[in-house]
Amino acid sequence: MYAATFWSRAFPRSLFAIISISTTNMTNSNPSMSVEEGAARLRRHPKYWLDDGSLVVRTQDDLFKVHRTLLQRHSQVISSLAERVSQDESSLMDGCPTLHVPQELGVESTDFEMLLEHLYHDFPLGLDAPLSRVAAILRVSSKRQLDFPLLHRLARRELEHMVPSDPTAFYEVKHPDSMLILAVDYDVHTIQKALFYTVATHANLQHDEPESAIPGFNAPQVVESVDPDLANQFKLSPELTKRCQRLLDDLVGHFTPVLFTVATAGHMTCTDIFAEQWMPLVIQPALENSGLCRPLETLQTIIDLDWEAQGLCGECVRAKREEWREEQRAVWERLDGWLGLTSEK
């Protein structure tokens, strides 16, 4: 996953010297640190240090004074941790028990802040939430961290809503690699296919060249262009990169004979027009614009061409467009098998 700083927002924090016997407990992760040093590095959150709060929660070096019942009612993890400190007078800070979220849970202060923003209705998670907020709440509400089940389901739904389900939408989403990482890490299977397709077809990965497109047809040697800025922005683990590489090989292997096979029509006159125009109108543009690696987009381009203006009859154009749409659907369905997602649904 991305480092927490990828999602973090910079905001000013006030520093307070906190002199309390509970500080001894808070610095026990570093025995060589003095009480004064431990106190100086802790920060009361400038917003979520509530005067009427009943529980102090520490994540990393940040302190949040919030309402205990609000957190406990949604999280069994918080409830269990709070019970352990409720009877410990040495953990009191500002009159409240202090709960130190275990470091091994990996809870980031910025993620916990966004969770509180939702719980206190300052910035509730909704359809207009940016990916950074959805990702933060997805992480902190998961079972591997603080386990807020209802909120985690909401975050999953919001992530799903960010990815179109229509295979002809071509998934023009921002940060598809970040979304793919989240979808895989948290088993959001419904959007993995779209995200794998988007990343695999836009990440400037090398792909296997088919030995021949179709018998007796020599394809022009044209190097497909890519947008280096788009490709270089993707950051994936080696394992996800391998999966995207394998998917791209499957896509190219499947689509090459489709692209290089000149279309035929019900009428000979229309077939002759395809034979004359297939190279300049279909193959050449596809090779110049990475179309071989992007079958869904290339098929849509073929569908949208003004074939009537080339002299084809309306009957043949309608029939061929339906064939190309069917090929789009076939590619979309094959993605499940290529990615091994069928058994995961």
Side-chain angles (χ1 to χ4, degrees):
M1 301 213 26
Y2 282 105
T5 53
F6 182 83
W7 308 109
S8 299
R9 297 178 304 155
F11 57 89
R13 301 173 187 264
S14 301
L15 300 179
F16 294 84
I18 304 173
I19 306 300
S20 170
I21 191 171
S22 62
T23 307
T24 302
N25 297 328
M26 292 186 180
T27 59
N28 58 13
S29 59
N30 187 352
S32 63
M33 183 182 299
S34 68
V35 172
E36 291 77 9
E37 289 173 332
R41 58 194 289 266
L42 299 181
R43 300 178 291 261
R44 295 187 183 186
H45 193 273
K47 181 176 182 180
Y48 293 108
W49 185 266
L50 307 177
D51 292 338
D52 61 345
S54 54
L55 178 69
V56 173
V57 178
R58 178 187 171 186
T59 60
Q60 298 179 299
D61 293 331
D62 296 283
L63 300 170
F64 304 81
K65 185 180 177 184
V66 291
H67 297 96
R68 174 174 173 169
T69 54
L70 178 63
L71 271 64
Q72 282 188 285
R73 64 181 295 195
H74 294 291
S75 168
Q76 185 60 43
V77 171
I78 292 291
S79 180
S80 177
L81 291 173
E83 288 298 327
R84 297 178 190 176
V85 300
S86 61
Q87 305 300 324
D88 184 4
E89 293 184 0
S90 67
S91 72
L92 294 180
M93 179 182 297
D94 207 23
C96 302
T98 301
L99 185 160
H100 187 178
V101 176
Q103 186 175 358
E104 57 267 25
L105 292 183
V107 176
E108 302 284 347
S109 293
T110 50
D111 289 358
F112 187 69
E113 177 191 1
M114 291 188 188
L115 181 143
L116 292 177
E117 287 177 337
H118 174 83
L119 294 177
Y120 282 101
H121 304 287
D122 293 318
F123 294 100
L125 194 61
L127 293 177
D128 58 345
L131 177 59
S132 58
R133 183 171 296 276
V134 174
I137 294 181
L138 189 69
R139 287 191 295 267
V140 74
S141 66
S142 67
K143 287 186 177 181
R144 67 186 71 169
Q145 292 196 0
L146 297 183
D147 192 14
F148 284 69
L150 294 179
L151 185 52
H152 190 70
R153 285 199 291 271
L154 175 61
R156 288 171 63 93
R157 287 199 299 270
E158 296 307 319
L159 184 65
E160 289 175 318
H161 291 156
M162 291 181 172
V163 182
S165 58
D166 182 357
T168 63
F170 307 132
Y171 317 112
E172 296 179 357
V173 296
K174 295 181 179 179
H175 309 298
D177 52 335
S178 303
M179 299 180 75
L180 177 59
I181 292 169
L182 290 169
V184 172
D185 281 352
Y186 295 98
D187 299 321
V188 187
H189 299 300
T190 55
I191 59 176
Q192 287 187 24
K193 180 164 64 172
L195 293 170
F196 267 115
Y197 177 86
T198 300
V199 174
T201 58
H202 289 80
N204 196 18
L205 300 171
Q206 298 297 319
H207 59 79
D208 294 335
E209 294 291 347
E211 295 182 2
S212 61
I214 56 173
F217 186 87
N218 294 321
Q221 299 299 310
V222 179
V223 178
E224 295 189 345
S225 62
V226 295
D227 183 345
D229 292 334
L230 182 62
N232 293 336
Q233 74 179 1
F234 294 155
K235 299 178 182 178
L236 298 173
S237 68
E239 178 57 32
L240 285 182
T241 300
K242 289 179 182 178
R243 292 186 69 181
C244 289
Q245 182 69 73
R246 290 195 296 266
L247 175 60
L248 183 60
D249 290 341
D250 288 331
L251 287 167
V252 172
H254 171 82
F255 191 55
T256 295
V258 175
L259 179 65
F260 289 110
T261 300
V262 178
T264 58
H267 301 133
M268 183 59 67
T269 301
C270 294
T271 296
D272 290 341
I273 294 173
F274 276 136
E276 294 176 0
Q277 300 299 326
W278 197 253
M279 172 62 74
L281 293 183
V282 175
I283 295 177
Q284 193 70 29
L287 293 177
E288 292 173 352
N289 295 282
S290 301
L292 186 59
C293 300
R294 301 168 186 172
L296 296 181
E297 292 91 331
T298 300
L299 285 164
Q300 190 62 42
T301 298
I302 298 172
I303 291 170
D304 293 339
L305 283 170
D306 189 355
W307 291 107
E308 291 91 341
Q310 302 301 319
L312 271 76
C313 70
E315 179 183 351
C316 287
V317 171
R318 288 190 294 273
K320 295 307 295 184
R321 283 177 173 154
E322 182 52 39
E323 286 183 24
W324 295 324
R325 291 189 185 96
E326 183 58 35
E327 178 60 27
Q328 281 182 321
R329 291 189 284 269
V331 171
W332 184 249
E333 292 173 1
R334 282 174 176 262
L335 286 171
D336 288 310
W338 289 333
L339 290 168
L341 297 178
T342 304
S343 61
E344 298 177 1
K345 286 189 174 182

